[in-house]
Amino acid sequence: MMNSRPPLSRRRLLLGSVALPLLLAGCGQDLKKSEPQAVDLFIESDGDFLAFKPDELTCRTGAVVRLTFHHAGRFLSARHNWVLVYPNQMEAVDKDYEKTEGVISPGDSRVIAVVPMCDKGDTMMTQFTAPAPGDYPFFCSTPGHAVDMNGILHVTA
Ligand SMILES: [Cu+2]
């Protein structure tokens, strides 16, 4: 009778060797889920109008956003950029950079992301991590443009 069944300790060992790879596979999936989501967003000037197209964008909080901006103007030589700021900072930031023709200083804590100034036909990119859920204004900081050339990035939970 004793010889017909493997000893208990050996059965446990066999079970263990099956369970371990499953456990590791489960861990791997969890790691992939917690990796930040990568998102590509595209926005352009509305031809030669002082407006963004689209003027609303959406992404998830924590996403690594690769945003591409295109200056779609064909006739006017005005430069455009794309500046994302924290809520209620647009007017103040816009005013502060009148003296630099809208060129934003690196390290301004009110600013989340900037696409550099573009001449017509240019396409430029910026990358940033989406902040906490909320509505964040973006605008063009060329002096006089922000009043019309602005929009909202909706960051969802
Ligand atoms: Cu502009």
Side-chain angles (χ1 to χ4, degrees):
M1 284 295 272
M2 290 278 287
N3 290 343
S4 66
R5 298 174 79 181
L8 197 60
S9 61
R10 186 173 145 80
R11 285 204 299 170
R12 271 207 194 115
L13 200 69
L14 284 169
L15 280 174
S17 67
V18 171
L20 195 64
L22 288 175
L23 209 71
L24 288 173
C27 283
Q29 276 173 354
D30 283 352
L31 279 174
K32 267 181 194 163
K33 267 182 202 163
S34 67
E35 274 174 23
Q37 183 195 12
V39 180
D40 290 298
L41 296 178
F42 182 79
I43 187 165
E44 59 186 349
S45 68
D46 188 0
D48 286 294
F49 291 103
L50 288 183
F52 283 110
K53 197 174 83 177
D55 62 1
E56 286 186 70
L57 298 168
T58 302
C59 69
R60 266 242 180 111
T61 183
V64 176
V65 180
R66 290 174 299 212
L67 182 133
T68 303
F69 170 72
H70 173 62
H71 185 323
R74 299 181 65 189
F75 306 106
L76 301 181
S77 56
R79 303 171 90 200
H80 298 308
N81 68 350
W82 185 88
V83 183
L84 179 69
V85 295
Y86 286 100
N88 306 313
Q89 298 298 327
M90 186 177 87
E91 283 79 7
V93 171
D94 184 47
K95 195 161 189 292
D96 286 356
Y97 290 97
E98 275 175 7
K99 343 169 185 55
T100 63
E101 287 299 302
V103 175
I104 305 289
S105 305
D108 189 319
S109 62
R110 300 167 297 179
V111 176
I112 299 166
V114 179
V115 172
M117 279 293 170
C118 292
D119 290 307
K120 62 182 173 188
D122 285 351
T123 302
M124 301 265 222
M125 216 187 88
T126 188
Q127 184 171 306
F128 60 97
T129 300
D135 290 341
Y136 296 82
F138 58 78
F139 66 102
C140 170
S141 63
T142 293
H145 287 201
V147 171
D148 301 301
M149 204 170 177
N150 62 71
I152 298 286
L153 172 70
H154 302 285
V155 180
T156 61

